[in-house]
Amino acid sequence: MMRWWLASAADRQATRAVRRFDPRWWLVDFPRPMMASVVTDGPETVVVALEFQRRNDLAGLIWESADRWSHKLCALETRRDYRGLLWRFRWQSSGDVLPLDAINGPVLTIEGRDAGGAARTWYVRLWNYASGTSTDAEVRLDFDALAGGFLLPAEADPVWAGDIDRMFVSLVPTGYDGSDAPLAAVATAEVRLTTLALDGDGAVLKAGRPSLPPHDWRLCTAYDDLYNQSPERILDQALLLGWRGPITHYLGMSHFMALHPEGDVYLVDPARPLCGPATAWHADFLMRAHALGFVLILSLSMELFAAHCPADWAQRDSDGVIGLTGWVPPSALLSPCSAPAQAWLCSVAGAAMALVPAGMAPAFQVGEPWWWVGPDARPCLYDAATTARWQAETGQAAPAIADIRGGKSPAEQAYLDWCGARLAEATAGMVNAAHAAAPGVRTHLLFYAPQVLLDDRPDLARANLPAAWAHPTFDVLQLEDYTFVTSANHAGQARARSEVNARLGYPLASQHYLAGFVLNAADAPAHWPLIAAAAAQSPAAEIFIWAWPQVARDGFTPFILADGDDAMPAFHDVRFPLQLGFGAAGGPAFSTQVVVTGSGAEQRNAEWADARLEYDAGLGIRSEADLAQLLAFFRARRGQAHGFRFLDPLDNSSAANGSDPAATDQSLGSSNGSNTRFALVKHYGDAGLADDPPQRRRITRPWPESVVVAVNGEAQTGWTLQAGGHIDFAVPPPAGAVVSAGYRFDVPVRFASDRLAVSIAGWRAGELPGVPLIEIREDGDA
């Protein structure tokens, strides 16, 4: 059975030794429209591929003292002191990058603080520490005798290396003059740092080495989020964390493309599907993935960074406004009817599949193809190429749909059906291009349900879920529904799965499920449990987690229990014998640290947000028959191994006074207009204390027949009780509505010991056995 947790740096236990300046940990970054990438070539070589567009382009080859990009269990230790280190490497540059001896040639920029703690930046000209030619030289940097400044010793600015945050080597084109003008032609270059060596105390760092066994969930990656890192770094960590098998890899929408200037903008170059740095990075990524036993599913969508999208390629609404996503900066969607746009997409598909190494089974995904609908519900079905083709084929003007919500007229439905056929035609073109480049390719369709299958737009599926996609058009259907999941819209999730299955008919053996993602780190504690639960409940043949950058950032760590660890259910849904339980003594227990100072004052720290209940059921034994019943129940639970229900005689109702439940007893929260799942809770405490709000207790074991539900005080039907004490509505309550519930409930407990000591003689002598029970903290929100 799959398990997971959000690991932190404190969870790192096993470590490995890594040389500081190890090639795998170097980064690269740059401003668009230039492109760059970093790969490794053996244990001592970093390779940077560059493609410059403007006369002020500058790329940085970066080393950061604090590892911000690795998974929490794999990260390098933070060490900002570089004193006593001697760094040596061979510099080799080729192509249109300024050489070491040029005025604006490579500079090592060091950001940190001086000996007094004041923020400082030093600019160390590498040519001052090089021997050889300006394009092939040995560079020797002694951090105890390092100085910034162009001319040494006249302009020396001594570096204090005891507190460094970041260093980067600046790389600029041969035509660099600081202006924003385009270069005469795209400038390509390569820089290699080879025979990297570091001597001195602190030359070796500790890195996490989790070495988790393989598990059953699969990984997603995306070049837009990983372009700054080396493929070896990413794949090494994935392997250590137990990821295996297929990886869905999104080529992206902002960094893989080749560009050329048109006036004051830089647009995709139809003649070059992939830029040089992206080609180098993906060739290395594919090669390393294959060597480690991974299979890459290369994904290409119709989404394109808006600033690089030709105006006549983009989808537009009926007012001619380009359809833009909500990303900042935004992306646009390419029109299925734009011949140049689709030709370019097909060329990208072919170029990407041509990089698949011999021996790796080729796999291609058409990622989230759709006609875009903006936040104002305006469908983008009206770019010039689309309306012109419709008119040429039908002799009619396209019916203007300004709002996709609500049912549509027969004429509008016909247009939506026709648009769906054009979308299917475009995806078929991409698939054919992949087949041509990689015969035998396994094809995948990724469908994102929350963009299409919403209650208020019943006809949008005509355009965005065409019948031509039905099984077996693609080998695999991949379904993604993360906003349904993270908004707790379980009804929308179930409805979407049902509709997709009904329309497309892919058997479960030919379905994958993409779970995730968590956009903001602040949402990680709330969203990852929902995502993991959806992944665990999916019946699809493969489960993918989207995506590595969020997995690494939040420390998301799945693992599978060893054989036998979870062979039996951990909870038996039976109740402790009532006649024994009613005689039990016990109640809530907290954990509070109390420190008494020398003056007698106290400092108290509450370690638990909620109490944990403890009972002694031995007090309920009234006869020898009770003893026999207790022993039988204890044996059936195998001691502590299995939990069970316990009826707390003093607290088993949602009503404050223990009376019969009413639907308005406990507030479960307010609706946001889309969430359909609400967790049962009970509140305790004084609502008037702002600094000590009422305690919120999750109720995971209600009595099903006792549950009643209200919305804004009115009793409701149209809901179901789900496992873990969740109320699922078939239709989301109105936004702002207060959902409440009443219920009776049991406490999930277990025996607190694997040993039960009882005797007839002791019982007859008046000795009561100790039978401690302790509450189980169930993950009811997952």
Side-chain angles (χ1 to χ4, degrees), residues 22 81 176 216 268 315 317 344 350 365 389 439 497 512 669:
D22 184 297
D81 191 347
Y176 182 89
D216 292 339
V268 295
Q315 298 178 19
D317 67 20
W344 176 74
Q365 180 211 84
R389 182 168 173 184
R497 287 180 176 177
H512 295 169

Side-chain angles (χ1 to χ4, degrees), residues 493-587:
Q493 185 184 23
R495 184 186 67 252
R497 287 180 176 177
S498 176
E499 188 166 347
V500 170
N501 287 336
R503 285 176 173 266
L504 302 186
Y506 284 81
L508 285 175
S510 298
Q511 289 192 36
H512 295 169
Y513 179 60
L514 269 68
F517 80 143
V518 182
L519 177 61
N520 300 309
D523 294 327
H527 285 179
W528 278 116
L530 298 172
I531 291 165
Q537 293 161 12
S538 172
E542 293 279 15
I543 308 298
F544 290 79
I545 305 298
W546 180 268
W548 171 254
Q550 291 75 40
V551 166
R553 179 197 67 197
D554 300 334
F556 181 76
T557 309
F559 61 96
I560 192 166
L561 295 177
D563 290 344
D565 284 356
D566 205 34
M568 296 178 293
F571 192 91
H572 290 173
D573 199 20
V574 296
R575 183 178 288 130
F576 189 74
L578 285 176
Q579 69 273 24
L580 304 184
F582 272 113

Side-chain angles (χ1 to χ4, degrees), residues 270-287:
R272 293 193 301 139
L274 304 174
C275 67
T279 300
W281 192 96
H282 281 92
D284 189 72
F285 189 52
L286 283 154
M287 178 270 293

Side-chain angles (χ1 to χ4, degrees), residues 417-497:
D417 288 337
W418 180 87
C419 289
R422 303 291 73 75
L423 181 62
E425 183 181 88
T427 58
M430 296 165 67
V431 167
N432 290 339
H435 270 294
V441 64
R442 187 167 173 80
T443 61
H444 302 67
L445 170 70
L446 176 60
F447 179 72
Y448 181 63
Q451 176 69 12
V452 178
L453 301 178
L454 299 175
D455 275 340
D456 64 351
R457 50 201 71 188
D459 285 315
L460 180 57
R462 293 174 178 271
N464 279 345
L465 193 60
W469 284 349
H471 180 73
T473 302
F474 294 85
D475 294 310
V476 178
L477 170 68
Q478 295 183 304
L479 181 64
E480 185 178 14
D481 58 7
Y482 73 84
T483 51
F484 282 154
V485 172
T486 56
S487 64
N489 188 350
H490 289 254
Q493 185 184 23
R495 184 186 67 252
R497 287 180 176 177

Side-chain angles (χ1 to χ4, degrees), residues 618-653:
L619 301 176
I621 305 298
R622 295 289 183 266
S623 67
E624 293 177 14
D626 288 347
L627 277 176
Q629 188 176 20
L630 172 64
L631 285 169
F633 190 86
F634 183 83
R635 278 182 168 275
R637 308 290 83 75
R638 292 174 171 81
Q640 300 182 86
H642 303 285
F644 49 91
R645 289 174 176 260
F646 178 80
L647 178 62
D648 187 333
L650 297 177
D651 187 4
N652 58 63
S653 175

Side-chain angles (χ1 to χ4, degrees), residues 235 239 245 247 282-296 355-362:
L235 291 169
L239 201 72
I247 295 175
H282 281 92
D284 189 72
F285 189 52
L286 283 154
M287 178 270 293
R288 293 185 183 281
H290 180 49
L292 293 174
F294 293 107
V295 174
L296 290 190
L355 296 175
V356 175
M360 177 185 282

